Amino acid sequence: MIKQLLASGLTALLYVSGFEPFGLVIAPLFCLAYLFYFALNHSPKKTAIFYYLFGFFCFSIGLHWLYISIHIVSGAPLWLAILLIGVLSGVMALFYCLVGFIISYAYQLFKSKYLVLTLLAPAIWTLSELSRGYAFTGFPWLTIGYSQSSTFLSAWAPIGGVYLVSFIVSLIAGYCLLISSKIRPLLSLFGVLIIIGSSFSIRSIEWTERVDKEFSVALVQGAVAQEKKWLTTEFIRTLTLYRNSLLNLENTNLVIWPEVAIPAYAENVEGYLDELEGILKQQNIDLLMLGINTKGKNGEVFNSVITLGDDNRVYHKRHLVPFGEYFPVPNFIREWLQKMKLPNRDISKGSEVQEMPKLNQYYIATSICYEDIFGYELLDFQPLANVLVNVTNNAWFGESIASSQHFQMSRMRAIETGRYLLRSTNTGITAIVMPDGNIQKELEPYNFSILKGNFYPMKDETPYSRFGDFFVILLMTLIMTLGCFIGILRLKNKNV
């Protein structure tokens, strides 16, 4: 058991190193090859246990920064922070447990490593990641496809999103294991070369086209510490900080402030917002998008982005963070949270259908923080949206690896939709990302700064923008069906 713990822990550590900020992009591929190897050489029960341990360590290591928001920022006891991280890791590990059991069982049933490694295992892994991205409101963190956001394999994202990239990585891992095991090595090597060649070929396709007009943008990074953000002694300083950021942005088309840049309800700072409108006119700034909390007609609270200037819109966050922005718990637990002076109030969910703000005649698809880790969330705005805007506040997680992980996932949204991504964060990574996922400009995190740059609105749509995750679901289902059909035929022929 100790060997299993060490092996699964080391595999998880190597797997996490494949994601930002470490960027050892080949590491997850080799980890997956080893996981496949384990499944083919052990019983389904033993494999399920090993995969569960891998998943538990993977999330415990990859999400260790949650203790900052739970313990340091929110003030929860250390034991509670450790318990919550453990519970989350344990629940997420169940997906890996099931994957390991099914892959091992498939091999025990069909007795064909080539069949399992080229069809069944990659499809099972991909469907598991996809399921994790939707189940329990979704948690796609550490999805293997994200590790390739800076490589040529990301070329598959405009076709089938991050989950198609996951499938391609899984397929390469299967081929690599076949080559090392000397099972049809030439055929397997040919398969890898076909994938690499196809990836570079697809990468040259420009799915979307930029319009002729270029726009200027300024992304403001406030760098306001979370523990100071809501202090009354910091309120005026914060308002002044952001207001003054407009004074040197004359003739800028679009200015973006981060999530909840103004620590107040919009209804309580109407005079300040009117003052901003005046500054926009004086500075000839077309549009200002800023994060702030708003109240509904019935007193409900929204995490919002309001637009000032030439277009006045309000966007309410639609995909909320469980146990962060809302608490799906019984009343007695909520009462306990209140007694412990821990966060316990629910933010309301915005409507699924919301109007997009416009810069001139071009539409802006807005997302707030956590929303940009879900590719399907942005599909509601496509193909009408011409540019993506994300506002984020990673101050909850301090100076940890969370900001780099989050930004890596954000970049995939630009690739999937073929749109520029304009990302303004409080303490995370503020950047302009081009439609191919490359970073045009970015700021050093954790310091106040303003990023000035340019972008082009994009038109047309990618296959992923049109079909979303349906294409991958259909493809994986067909591959699984084909794999099972071939396996059953093999069994029948052996029994004849």
Side-chain angles (χ1 to χ4, degrees), residues 375-388:
Y376 59 83
E377 287 288 349
L378 295 177
L379 298 183
D380 293 336
F381 303 117
Q382 300 299 332
L384 194 59
N386 305 106
V387 63
L388 310 180

Side-chain angles (χ1 to χ4, degrees), residues 240-287:
T240 303
L241 174 77
Y242 280 106
R243 181 188 60 206
N244 289 349
S245 71
L246 299 173
L247 302 181
N248 295 317
L249 298 177
E250 189 175 3
N251 298 320
T252 302
N253 296 120
L254 177 61
V255 179
I256 305 172
W257 295 354
E259 179 187 14
V260 196
I262 306 304
Y265 295 116
E267 294 74 15
N268 295 342
V269 289
E270 291 181 352
Y272 177 75
L273 298 178
D274 290 339
E275 183 184 359
L276 294 180
E277 289 277 16
I279 295 174
L280 295 180
K281 292 178 181 178
Q282 292 172 10
Q283 299 297 110
N284 195 32
I285 298 172
D286 295 332
L287 217 60

Side-chain angles (χ1 to χ4, degrees), residues 304-487:
S304 308
V305 171
I306 65 174
T307 307
L308 305 177
D310 291 348
D311 194 18
N312 297 115
R313 305 282 177 188
V314 179
Y315 170 79
H316 300 310
K317 189 175 183 181
R318 303 178 299 162
H319 200 133
L320 303 178
V321 183
F323 301 101
E325 292 176 310
Y326 74 100
F327 298 83
V329 296
N331 288 333
F332 74 92
I333 294 181
R334 193 182 297 272
E335 289 172 2
W336 178 80
L337 291 171
Q338 291 171 350
K339 289 179 181 179
M340 295 291 291
K341 296 182 179 180
L342 298 174
N344 58 80
R345 295 181 180 178
D346 291 342
I347 295 286
S348 295
K349 179 182 177 181
S351 171
E352 291 299 324
V353 179
Q354 300 186 47
E355 292 185 351
M356 288 184 283
K358 292 170 66 176
L359 177 61
N360 290 359
Q361 72 267 39
Y362 301 108
Y363 289 95
I364 301 171
T366 308
S367 62
I368 299 176
C369 195
Y370 185 73
E371 289 182 311
D372 71 347
I373 71 172
F374 302 97
Y376 59 83
E377 287 288 349
L378 295 177
L379 298 183
D380 293 336
F381 303 117
Q382 300 299 332
L384 194 59
N386 305 106
V387 63
L388 310 180
V389 165
N390 175 258
V391 298
T392 287
N393 176 28
N394 287 141
W396 285 97
F397 312 112
E399 297 184 14
S400 68
I401 63 174
S403 293
S404 296
Q405 291 178 342
H406 189 182
F407 181 50
Q408 185 175 40
M409 301 171 81
S410 300
R411 289 170 58 196
M412 192 62 77
R413 305 291 84 83
I415 304 171
E416 289 171 344
T417 59
R419 302 293 194 263
Y420 275 85
L421 169 65
L422 312 176
R423 192 168 189 264
S424 177
T425 70
N426 178 28
T427 61
I429 298 176
T430 297
I432 299 173
V433 181
M434 295 188 291
D436 60 1
N438 288 324
I439 302 168
Q440 184 185 97
K441 283 185 177 182
E442 68 176 303
L443 293 176
E444 286 293 322
Y446 316 123
N447 296 303
F448 175 81
S449 191
I450 301 175
L451 189 153
K452 299 178 183 178
N454 298 285
F455 71 95
Y456 288 92
M458 306 296 291
K459 59 183 181 180
D460 300 328
E461 62 181 331
T462 64
Y464 181 73
S465 294
R466 177 172 294 183
F467 301 110
D469 293 322
F470 175 76
F471 172 74
V472 171
I473 294 172
L474 179 61
L475 180 63
M476 295 307 107
T477 303
L478 290 174
I479 290 173
M480 288 275 290
T481 304
L482 177 63
C484 291
F485 179 73
I486 293 172

Side-chain angles (χ1 to χ4, degrees), residues 13-31 144 147-148 150-151 408:
L13 184 63
L14 186 61
Y15 182 87
V16 173
S17 73
F19 296 83
E20 296 295 343
F22 312 107
L24 300 175
V25 295
I26 202 167
L29 189 151
F30 286 127
C31 289
I144 200 169
S147 67
Q148 306 302 308
S150 298
T151 75
Q408 185 175 40

Side-chain angles (χ1 to χ4, degrees), residues 155-284:
W156 296 91
I159 299 175
V162 67
Y163 298 114
L164 183 57
V165 180
S166 288
F167 174 73
I168 297 299
V169 176
S170 305
L171 187 57
I172 294 175
Y175 278 133
C176 287
L177 182 54
L178 288 169
I179 293 169
S180 65
S181 303
K182 297 180 180 179
I183 300 173
R184 300 184 187 179
L186 292 179
L187 184 59
S188 299
L189 178 60
F190 181 70
V192 173
L193 294 176
I194 286 293
I195 292 173
I196 294 173
S198 300
S199 299
F200 279 105
S201 178
I202 293 171
R203 200 178 190 187
S204 65
I205 299 175
E206 294 185 1
W207 300 99
T208 55
E209 181 183 354
R210 70 185 192 185
V211 303
D212 293 333
K213 186 174 176 57
E214 185 181 38
F215 290 87
S216 58
V217 64
L219 309 175
V220 180
Q221 183 172 279
V224 178
Q226 191 62 34
E227 36 297 15
K228 295 181 179 180
K229 191 178 184 74
W230 293 92
L231 295 177
T232 54
T233 53
E234 295 290 319
F235 182 67
I236 298 300
R237 193 191 74 83
T238 300
L239 266 59
T240 303
L241 174 77
Y242 280 106
R243 181 188 60 206
N244 289 349
S245 71
L246 299 173
L247 302 181
N248 295 317
L249 298 177
E250 189 175 3
N251 298 320
T252 302
N253 296 120
L254 177 61
V255 179
I256 305 172
W257 295 354
E259 179 187 14
V260 196
I262 306 304
Y265 295 116
E267 294 74 15
N268 295 342
V269 289
E270 291 181 352
Y272 177 75
L273 298 178
D274 290 339
E275 183 184 359
L276 294 180
E277 289 277 16
I279 295 174
L280 295 180
K281 292 178 181 178
Q282 292 172 10
Q283 299 297 110
N284 195 32

